[in-house]
Amino acid sequence: MSQAPGPVPAADFVVFGGTGDLAARKLLPALYLRDRDGQLPPETRIIALSRAGLDDGGYRDKIRGELSRFVRTGELDDAVVDRFVARLSHVSIDIEHEEGWSILVEKLDDDERVRVFYLAIGPDLFGRVSERLADHGLVTPSSRLVLEKPIGHDLASALEINDAVGAVFEEHQIFRIDHYLGKESVQNLLVTRFANTFLEPLWNANCIDHVQITASESIGVGSRGGYYDQSGALRDMIQNHLLQLLCLVAMEPPTYVGKENVRDEKLKVLQALRPIVGEEVDRSVVAGQYSPGLVDGEPVPSYQTETERPGSTTETFVAIKAEVQNWRWAGVPFYLRTGKRMERRISEIVIQFKAVPHPMFPGSEGTSEPNRLVIQLQPDEGMRLHMTAKEPGPGGIRLRPVSLDLSYAHAFQRQSPDAYERLLMDVVRGNPTLFMRRDEVEAAWTWVEPILDRWSRPDHRPRPYPSGTNGPSAATTLLERDSRSWPE
Ligand code: BG6
C-alpha cells in the first residue's frame, strides 16, 4: 500500500510574477493538487505579486479560471477549489516603488513561519528583488528563495546573479529549480541504479558502449519567442536539463541520498566533462533550426516565421558528443540531443551495452544485437531491456531480439504527479537534494561556454531541418562517424 504524503509546515508562498504563465500553468495547479491531497495546512497562504492591478477577488476569479484550464477535469473538486482560492491574495507591486512593499510587509506578519519567495520572473531581476526583500526586513532565517532557470545566460551573468542573491540569502536557503529533477521518472533513475544490485557492476566502460540522452519536443517555440530567441536550445535545455540527466546516469553512488551527497557527486561529473573548445565544437556539436514542415499531419511555419525574427541564428536543436573523463567512463561517449518541432515528444536515456565478445551460435553471426536499456522519461514512463532470445521452433538456433518491458503506469496503476508538486513541497521542507547548487550551475556554464563562444562568430548558422523530423542530417552523421546511430 502506498502512503499518502504527510502535511508540510505551514508556509507563506510569495510569488513574484503571480499573474505570469508559469504561475498559471505550473505553480498554482501544483499547489492546488497538494492542497487537494491534504498536504497544505489550513494556515498556508499564497500571496501573488504582479503589476496587474488586481484586487484579491479579481485574482481569485482569474485563478479559478486558470485551474479549470490547467488541472485535469477529474482532479478538480469544487470544494477544494473554493478552499484553495481562499488562500490567495494579490499585491500590486513595482519593485522600485514603496507602495506595494508596505502592503507586503504588513501581510507577512509571522516571522517564524516558512516564507517561500518564488521568483517566476526574468533572471535579470533576481538580484534586485533579493536586495529589496532584505531592505524591507523580510528575509527571516526560515525564508527560502526559489529561482527559476535560466540562472543567467553565460558564466559571468550566472556568477553575478549567484553573488547578488548570495549577499542576501545563505546558500542553503536558495533553491534553484530544474524541473527535470522533480520528474518521478528522473528520481526513479537514482532508485533504479542504486536500489538494485544487478546494474551497478555493469554500469561502466567495461560493459557500456555509449549512452544517448534525448529530449525531443513536437511543439515549437510558440509565444515564448522573446525569451527563446535570446536563449536557444543549448541554454534552454542542455545547460540544465540534459546535463542533469547525464549527471544522474554517470555519477558515483552517494553515501546516502540526502542533503548534499547527491549534489556533490553530480558536481564531480560536471567537472569531469571533457571541454569542447574551438574547432572541436564544429566536429562534436550540431546546431539546427526548424524550417516549415508537417507535425502530426499539420503544416507548421519555420522558427523565423513563428517568432517573426527573420535571419535569427538561434538554435532550436542541439546534438552533442560529450565525454566524462574519469575511470568509470573513459572512452564512453554520451550523445545528447534535444530539439523543438521534432517528429514526436519523447525523453529517454538509452544505455547501449557492448556486443557479445564472440558469436558462438552457428549461423548467428551478425544476428545478435547488443543489449540496450531504454529508460523512458516521457510521455510514458517505463523501462525496456532489449535482449536476444532464441526464436522458438526446431531446426537450429535462430536469434531474435525481444524486450522486457516495464510500464510504470501499469505497474503502479496511477499517474505521476507533476514535477512542481514535489519540488514545491521540498522547498517548504527545506530539502535541497533535487535543486541545483551554485557550484553545479557554474560548472555547467563553464562547460557550455566555449560552445557559445564558437557560435557567437558572425558566420555561425544553425542547420535547417524540416519541422516534424529528427533534426538536421549532421546529427545523424555525428553518430555515423563513430559507427553508431540514434534509435529511431
Ligand atoms: C523548459 C524549457 O525548461 O522545459 C522549455 O524552457 C521546454 O523550452 C520545457 O519546452 C520542457 O519540459 P518538459 O517537462 O515538457 O519536458
Side-chain angles (χ1 to χ4, degrees), residues 77-98:
D77 175 313
D78 288 344
V80 182
V81 172
D82 288 344
R83 180 176 79 207
F84 180 73
V85 297
R87 298 177 185 277
L88 304 174
S89 60
H90 180 271
V91 177
S92 285
I93 201 166
D94 175 329
I95 57 165
E96 297 305 340
H97 292 121
E98 280 316 305

Side-chain angles (χ1 to χ4, degrees), residues 26 148-150 177-180 183 215-217 219-221 224 227-228 231-233 235-237 240-241 338 340 345-347 378 418-420:
K26 294 289 184 187
E148 266 294 328
K149 68 153 256 281
I177 288 224
D178 180 318
H179 79 279
Y180 264 54
K183 288 182 190 280
S216 72
E217 300 179 272
I219 54 167
V221 173
R224 296 169 72 226
Y227 151 74
Y228 197 89
S231 165
R235 291 185 175 96
D236 186 52
M237 294 291 289
N240 33 75
H241 305 324
T338 185
K340 295 209 184 281
R345 174 176 183 249
I346 190 163
S347 297
Q378 53 194 30
D418 185 76
Y420 279 92

Side-chain angles (χ1 to χ4, degrees), residues 8-9 114 116 143-146 171-177 181-182 187 190 256-263 422-437:
V8 295
V114 171
V116 178
S143 290
R144 337 239 194 257
L145 180 73
V146 187
E171 179 62 25
H172 71 85
Q173 295 179 291
I174 304 174
F175 292 75
R176 297 177 190 81
I177 288 224
L181 294 178
Q187 292 164 48
L190 275 182
Y256 74 103
V257 173
K259 292 268 173 193
E260 298 307 325
N261 305 46
V262 173
R263 308 204 290 183
R422 164 73 193 254
L423 293 174
L424 285 165
M425 296 302 97
D426 277 0
V427 172
V428 179
R429 288 195 198 95
N431 178 0
T433 306
L434 298 177
F435 297 82
M436 292 186 293
R437 206 167 56 195

Side-chain angles (χ1 to χ4, degrees), residues 128-150:
R128 184 64 185 140
V129 169
S130 304
E131 212 171 68
R132 299 292 280 154
L133 288 169
D135 291 347
H136 291 89
L138 291 174
V139 181
T140 53
S142 55
S143 290
R144 337 239 194 257
L145 180 73
V146 187
L147 304 179
E148 266 294 328
K149 68 153 256 281

